[in-house]
Amino acid sequence: SWIALLGVAIYLILILHGYDRADPGWSQSGNGIGSPVHNTGGRMGAWLADLLLWLFGISAWWWVLFFLFAVTWGYRRLDVAGMFDRRPLFVSVAGFVTLLAASSGLEALRLYTLKAALPQAPGGMLGALVSENLSIALGFTGATLALLVLIAIGFSLFTGLSWVRFVEKLGGVIEGSYFFIKHRWQDWQDRRAGAILAIKREELVEVGRKRFEEHPP
């Protein structure tokens, strides 16, 4: 759910920032049927951005903060548990289907120049169907964002992986590695300083010995 909410927040940023009064939307028809859409979020993004700005003005940007707050609220309610959860069979199957369709769509949308021996273009027929419809509705960038979100959700449903717990584990590994390297560096500096001091002590002892030999008591 928090991945979907984060995707919605990013999509709202895209469509509100890319708003163009020439695009067809809620309050105007644009430059006519078939005219190009300038909004990054496609026709749906242009229509939704026009509606939000028509209703709320610049205050429509508060909706972005609302969805980001919903993400943080869900994160605070997360219970400490393992990185993987058990899933019912139908949930795993639904996640696999979502993952397969979104991956094919992203392959057709972004990896169409991939040099591979395939009977169809990258992504196959399913990828072409998904990418074509999504790019028309959400635009090239919006469709890419939607497919990435669907891949993350589908993989989580299929495997039971919690992305939040995965990030927490990854952060723990990075933090532990940082302190391990830091302590190793400090130990090496201490040993180096000790070796330098030992050399200086030996030099002082040698100077004292020569002075004793040249000027005995």
Side-chain angles (χ1 to χ4, degrees), residues 1-2 5 65-79 164:
S1 62
W2 74 268
L5 291 172
L65 184 62
F66 170 79
F67 284 104
L68 292 177
F69 176 77
V71 172
T72 59
W73 179 77
Y75 178 81
R76 287 197 299 267
R77 293 178 62 251
L78 184 69
D79 296 329
V164 177

Side-chain angles (χ1 to χ4, degrees), residues 13-209:
I13 294 174
L14 289 176
I15 65 175
L16 291 176
H17 180 265
Y19 172 73
D20 194 319
R21 295 185 63 182
D23 292 337
W26 164 264
S27 61
Q28 74 276 341
S29 58
N31 293 329
I33 300 176
S35 59
V37 178
H38 303 92
N39 195 297
T40 313
R43 294 187 178 275
M44 183 181 297
W47 191 91
L48 182 59
D50 184 69
L51 174 62
L52 291 174
L53 294 172
W54 184 81
L55 288 174
F56 308 108
I58 299 178
S59 298
W61 283 89
W62 284 111
W63 283 102
V64 177
L65 184 62
F66 170 79
F67 284 104
L68 292 177
F69 176 77
V71 172
T72 59
W73 179 77
Y75 178 81
R76 287 197 299 267
R77 293 178 62 251
L78 184 69
D79 296 329
V80 178
M83 195 163 56
F84 290 89
D85 294 328
R86 295 182 61 87
R87 291 284 193 267
L89 179 60
F90 74 92
V91 175
S92 296
V93 171
F96 176 75
V97 172
T98 303
L99 175 63
L100 182 62
S103 177
S104 299
L106 186 65
E107 180 183 339
L109 188 67
R110 287 288 185 175
L111 304 179
Y112 53 87
T113 59
L114 186 66
K115 303 299 182 182
L118 299 170
Q120 293 279 350
M125 291 298 297
L126 177 61
L129 182 64
V130 172
S131 63
E132 182 179 357
N133 288 283
L134 271 182
S135 60
I136 292 175
L138 304 178
F140 189 72
T141 305
T144 303
L145 173 63
L147 290 171
L148 289 174
V149 169
L150 288 175
I151 287 175
I153 293 176
F155 186 81
S156 181
L157 293 176
F158 174 52
T159 62
L161 172 68
S162 170
W163 289 105
V164 177
R165 295 169 189 152
F166 172 77
V167 172
E168 287 182 339
K169 296 288 185 181
L170 181 62
V173 171
I174 295 175
E175 184 180 11
S177 301
Y178 167 75
F179 284 114
F180 176 78
I181 295 174
K182 181 180 178 180
H183 292 156
R184 288 289 184 178
W185 173 256
Q186 290 177 348
D187 292 342
W188 179 79
Q189 286 184 323
D190 292 340
R191 289 195 300 270
R192 182 184 178 187
I196 293 175
L197 290 176
I199 293 174
K200 289 182 178 180
R201 284 196 299 269
E202 290 178 359
E203 292 177 351
L204 291 175
V205 170
E206 184 67 19
V207 170
R209 186 180 63 81

